[in-house]
Amino acid sequence: MEGEAMKESPKARAGANDFHTAIEEAHVVALWEMFDGEGGPQPHPEPAFHWPWRVLEPLMDRAVDETGMADAERRVLSLANPAHGRDDYFRATSNLNAGLQILMPGERARPHRHSMDALRLVIEGEGAATVVDGKRCEMERGDLILTPAWTWHEHVHDGETRVIWFDALDVPLVQDLDATFFEPGPAKDFPILPEDTAFTAPGLVPTEALKTPYSPLFRYPWIQSRDALAAVPSREDGSRQLRYVNPTTGGPVLSRLDCYLLGLESGKPTQRYRTTSNAVCFVVEGSGTSAIEEVTIEWETNDIFTLPHWSWVSHTAGENGATIFQSTDRDVMRRLELLREEQE
Ligand code: GTQ
């Protein structure tokens, strides 16, 4: 037996070793040894992750003690998903960054622009504004404010209390594509865009050709989004959904961030679905639970949690129903012909 093994295996093994040494030296990899050729995204995406407001809120106050706006470009706590490691601190989920930003009365986050798309969903406070390419966008709870790629933006605050908002950006995708550009202010050379009031009549848009790859509306006020969602017919599972769109194209508000508002009826689990796109959820109203593959998240108002791609998802709202804002990379996946969606 041993003699036989001595005759065949070592030779075969030596051959294999020679081969593996040779391919390593040649900087090539034998693919047939790496893939089984079946299934979805491999390895499976990270588990869903949850950042509760009760944990983050005290840290925002401490962030104010830690740094003044003279020293910080932006006072942001970036939500770093542990599945991606602490060094990858811009990844809340695969392609999406999220964070919380705080500005105190009288403070200002100076103007800059970057190649990343960004948006803000206001959590609390009054009297702050984001100035986007010279347009002043007031920030009130639930408002969506867009700061599209390469638009100048600064945050100012003339109010009386702290202002906190949710930030979402496409940082990981732009970093992976190595297309990050950043320029500090002063802001200059704004494109000429119609005032937001030019879009406030439903179904009417200016005929003047707008060449921006983003919505010319930079502010989507909460009172309008809330009333619109309330009027949307419910699906069979009790959920209602709105998409925030660029009124001139019907497409996503930003080239690489596609936003939705989801209304949930109390106690009714939504139909399970999965998609190749990723989402970061911000709970605008209510509480509930979400079953996301093997993870169940119990969320409350102002909590943030992720829906990683290709994970089966079902949400159930608590007593008074719930409203969830979702920032996604869905339209990126669609335009790349990589969007797959399934419902049970
Ligand atoms: O407010 O411009 O969360 O540049 C990360 C990068 C916010 C901002 C972030 C940014 C900003």
Side-chain angles (χ1 to χ4, degrees), residues 164-313:
I164 299 181
W165 62 85
F166 165 78
D167 276 337
L169 294 89
D170 59 353
V171 177
L173 183 62
V174 175
Q175 274 187 347
D176 288 345
L177 296 171
D178 197 19
T180 304
F181 292 87
F182 178 90
E183 192 180 341
K188 54 178 186 288
D189 304 330
F190 306 141
I192 294 162
L193 292 176
E195 289 299 315
D196 281 7
T197 41
F199 299 94
T200 45
L204 289 181
V205 292
T207 53
E208 164 202 4
L210 295 172
K211 296 197 176 64
T212 53
Y214 48 78
S215 170
L217 261 181
F218 293 154
R219 176 176 182 228
Y220 292 71
W222 173 244
I223 44 166
Q224 292 177 9
S225 321
R226 180 200 60 195
D227 290 351
L229 187 65
V232 172
S234 292
R235 298 183 281 212
E236 232 171 78
D237 62 7
S239 64
R240 282 163 284 124
Q241 197 175 36
L242 282 177
R243 185 186 189 201
Y244 293 84
V245 297
N246 174 343
T248 66
T249 63
V253 284
L254 296 170
S255 184
R256 293 175 304 275
L257 291 174
D258 188 8
C259 301
Y260 297 83
L261 195 61
L262 177 67
L264 302 172
E265 208 172 283
S266 169
K268 265 192 151 182
T270 59
Q271 190 174 5
R272 261 160 51 98
Y273 76 96
R274 65 177 177 178
T275 169
T276 50
S277 69
N278 299 276
V280 181
C281 298
F282 171 77
V283 182
V284 187
E285 292 173 333
S287 60
T289 59
S290 295
I292 306 151
E293 290 286 330
E294 67 281 11
V295 178
T296 300
I297 291 174
E298 287 185 33
W299 39 262
E300 293 174 14
T301 305
N302 292 352
D303 284 8
I304 298 164
F305 61 96
T306 63
L307 305 177
H309 59 278
W310 217 236
S311 306
W312 285 105
V313 175

Side-chain angles (χ1 to χ4, degrees), residues 38-217:
E38 275 188 38
Q42 297 288 338
H44 193 75
E46 82 265 359
F49 200 77
H50 178 206
W51 289 270
W53 174 246
R54 72 181 143 71
V55 174
L56 295 186
E57 194 208 352
L59 295 177
M60 295 310 289
D61 283 330
R62 288 173 65 180
V64 174
D65 299 336
E66 289 288 324
T67 188
M69 287 311 297
D71 306 318
E73 183 74 19
R74 295 289 185 268
R75 199 194 277 114
V76 174
L77 291 180
S78 187
L79 308 184
N81 189 323
H84 293 283
R86 255 196 106 64
D87 291 341
D88 220 349
Y89 51 82
F90 280 122
R91 237 179 264 271
T93 181
S94 309
N95 286 328
L96 301 168
N97 164 242
L100 288 187
Q101 187 163 170
I102 182 166
L103 206 59
M104 298 303 285
E107 286 184 339
R108 170 176 185 241
R110 56 183 172 259
H112 68 204
R113 63 178 177 177
H114 39 65
S115 51
M116 289 79 75
D117 274 326
L119 61 84
R120 333 280 159 178
L121 204 283
V122 183
I123 300 179
E124 67 163 47
E126 271 159 33
T130 301
V131 186
V132 189
D133 270 349
K135 266 198 195 179
R136 187 182 161 99
C137 304
E138 303 302 330
M139 301 178 86
E140 288 173 27
R141 167 130 185 120
D143 290 357
L144 172 67
I145 313 283
L146 307 178
T147 58
W150 219 238
T151 57
W152 291 104
H153 54 281
E154 66 182 302
H155 308 291
V156 294
H157 187 8
D158 309 318
E160 312 273 300
T161 55
R162 67 175 190 187
V163 168
I164 299 181
W165 62 85
F166 165 78
D167 276 337
L169 294 89
D170 59 353
V171 177
L173 183 62
V174 175
Q175 274 187 347
D176 288 345
L177 296 171
D178 197 19
T180 304
F181 292 87
F182 178 90
E183 192 180 341
K188 54 178 186 288
D189 304 330
F190 306 141
I192 294 162
L193 292 176
E195 289 299 315
D196 281 7
T197 41
F199 299 94
T200 45
L204 289 181
V205 292
T207 53
E208 164 202 4
L210 295 172
K211 296 197 176 64
T212 53
Y214 48 78
S215 170
L217 261 181

